[in-house]
Amino acid sequence: MNPEQALHDLQAAMAGCRRCGLCRNRRHIVFGKGNPQARIMLVGEGPGREEDAQGIPFVGQAGRLLDKIIAAAGLPQEDIYVCNVVKCRPPGNRLPTEEETAACKPFLREQIRIVRPALIVALGALASQTLLNDSGFRISKGRGQWRQGGIFPILPTYHPAALLRDEGKKRPVWEDFLQVATKYNSIISANYKQNEDKGGL
């Protein structure tokens, strides 16, 4: 089954999900968006008000800032897939609880398995803790350092919403996304060389 169909089937399987209490107040399940075969996967924490209204991740103020960062770093939007750890909006945009995160984690794990990105950017402490399976991870100390999450290289950085509250975090996030661009470009170059070598046989 191709990744696009597999993601479609997974989203359909989540319809009407009642695995945790977030189902009671949601307007939409916010599944994900982007290229089903993306090399870059961005994982946030949970949907906000605008995401819940539209059913699409990162369409609010933080999402618009994220789009600007992606463009400024020279990363191609068409090679990116975006989703959140939890798919329903927590009340008041609070962080998801351990129970809510655990309920949604199998869906996130399956999204990653289907897309099979070359690298993952964890946006915020909760996303980093979830992807690294490390509840003690501190974003202030660990951001900007590549980690291995199974077979996937993961770069933790601040969530774009944090930048809206604290402009001092803009520089670190910019530096982190430059790292992402460097690794992405090296992956593209390696794949190009590999294909070129095969063509020369």
Side-chain angles (χ1 to χ4, degrees), residues 67 153 173 188:
D67 287 342
V173 170
I188 295 297

Side-chain angles (χ1 to χ4, degrees), residues 7 33-42 67 70-71 74-82 115 117 184-185 188:
L7 286 173
K33 67 176 181 181
N35 184 350
Q37 295 177 287
R39 291 183 179 92
I40 302 170
M41 190 175 210
L42 307 180
D67 287 342
I70 289 168
L75 295 169
Q77 193 75 52
E78 65 272 13
D79 209 1
I80 294 175
Y81 185 85
V82 185
V115 176
Y184 173 79
N185 289 330
I188 295 297

Side-chain angles (χ1 to χ4, degrees), residues 167-198:
E167 290 204 351
K169 290 184 169 68
K170 286 186 176 180
R171 171 62 63 176
V173 170
W174 172 242
E175 292 170 353
D176 293 346
F177 269 85
L178 289 181
Q179 281 199 67
V180 173
T182 298
K183 185 175 274 292
Y184 173 79
N185 289 330
S186 70
I187 290 167
I188 295 297
S189 296
N191 288 347
Y192 178 80
K193 186 178 186 306
Q194 187 179 41
N195 291 335
E196 195 175 51
D197 290 346
K198 285 181 181 178

Side-chain angles (χ1 to χ4, degrees), residues 126-176:
L126 182 94
S128 302
Q129 291 165 358
T130 303
L131 290 165
L132 297 173
N133 199 28
D134 180 3
S135 60
F137 179 85
R138 295 292 172 264
I139 194 73
S140 57
K141 294 183 178 180
R143 57 138 288 272
Q145 301 171 35
W146 287 100
R147 305 291 185 96
Q148 202 67 23
I151 64 171
F152 303 100
I154 298 173
L155 187 73
T157 191
Y158 293 115
H159 193 284
L163 278 62
L164 297 173
R165 298 189 295 268
D166 179 1
E167 290 204 351
K169 290 184 169 68
K170 286 186 176 180
R171 171 62 63 176
V173 170
W174 172 242
E175 292 170 353
D176 293 346

